[in-house]
Amino acid sequence: VIVRIKPEDECESSFVVVDGKEVSAPGLEAPVTAAAVLGPDDGDNQEAVFDALQAELLPHAFDGFSTYMLAYGSTGSGKTHSLFGQRDNPGLIPRVAAAILQEFATWNVVETPPFLCVSFLEIHGETIADLLVSPEQDTQDGLEVYQHPEYGVYVPSLTREAVRSVAELWDLLQFARMKQALTST
C-alpha cells in the first residue's frame, strides 16, 4: 500500500498526520502503516509516486503474478491525476506501461512478441462501468464481478485492448477519461 496525501487548500482543515511510513487521522483507532507515504510536501511529484510503486509492483508482474493499481478517495482527492496524469507529467498508468514495454524490448522473443493488454473500469457508486466500450455497445447497466476459485476476481465482459507503445496507451486513456463519471459519490 502506498499513500499519497493531497496538499490542503484554504477550505480544508488539517486532518492527516504523516510520520515516516505511518498515517494517522482523526477517527482512526490506530495509525495505518504503508510501504511508502508521500505527503503534501512532495508536491506534484508523479515520478516519486512511480518510484515508490515500481519497487513493489513491477518485480511481481515480471515474475508472472497478476498486479493491479487501485486509487481510493473522495471526489476531487486526486485519484485520476495520480493514475493518469498528463502527457507532460504522466501518472502511474503510463509510467508503469512504459516500464513494462521497456522490459519487453529486452526480451529475445521472435515468434510472438509480447504485448501489454489493458482494461479500464470505474466503480462509481455501486455501478461498474467499462471505460473502453464504445458508446454503441454501452448498455449502461453496469458490469458484473465474479470470484473464480483459482484465478480470483474477474469481470468477464470487460473490454481488453492490446497496446505495443505508450502512444497507443495514451489514446486509450483519453477515450477512457471521456467516459469517466465526474459527479460526487
Side-chain angles (χ1 to χ4, degrees):
V1 172
I2 296 169
V3 176
R4 183 179 201 183
I5 300 169
K6 178 183 172 183
E8 296 177 22
D9 62 26
E10 309 83 47
C11 299
E12 296 173 320
S13 61
S14 179
F15 65 94
V16 178
V17 176
V18 179
D19 180 27
K21 293 187 176 184
E22 290 189 347
V23 178
S24 61
L28 286 179
E29 292 181 18
V32 176
T33 302
V37 176
L38 300 163
D41 295 338
D42 294 309
D44 184 22
N45 192 342
Q46 297 281 49
E47 190 168 352
V49 177
F50 173 69
D51 289 343
L53 179 81
Q54 76 170 340
E56 298 291 320
L57 182 77
L58 291 177
H60 299 294
F62 293 136
D63 285 340
F65 293 97
S66 293
T67 57
Y68 65 93
M69 292 180 278
L70 170 72
Y72 179 80
S74 61
T75 301
S77 62
K79 300 176 297 292
T80 299
H81 177 69
S82 292
L83 289 177
F84 298 128
Q86 303 294 327
R87 284 188 191 259
D88 62 344
N89 187 20
L92 287 172
I93 292 171
R95 288 176 189 269
V96 167
I100 291 170
L101 292 168
Q102 286 173 352
E103 175 70 17
F104 286 171
T106 68
W107 296 1
N108 224 357
V109 180
V110 177
E111 288 185 27
T112 308
F115 60 90
L116 181 62
C117 189
V118 298
S119 296
F120 295 107
L121 67 79
E122 176 181 58
I123 303 170
H124 188 76
E126 294 187 19
T127 303
I128 300 172
D130 185 338
L131 297 180
L132 294 181
V133 70
S134 68
E136 304 82 43
Q137 297 171 319
D138 198 348
T139 64
Q140 303 292 327
D141 294 334
L143 301 175
E144 296 291 325
V145 177
Y146 297 95
Q147 175 78 35
H148 188 278
E150 186 176 345
Y151 303 115
V153 176
Y154 72 103
V155 182
S157 56
L158 187 63
T159 302
R160 295 170 34 147
E161 294 285 344
V163 295
R164 287 189 163 77
S165 71
V166 176
E168 289 180 9
L169 177 68
W170 272 112
D171 291 342
L172 291 175
L173 284 174
Q174 295 310 312
F175 183 82
R177 289 184 75 175
M178 288 188 301
K179 291 194 61 180
Q180 276 185 282
L182 299 175
T183 58
S184 298
T185 52

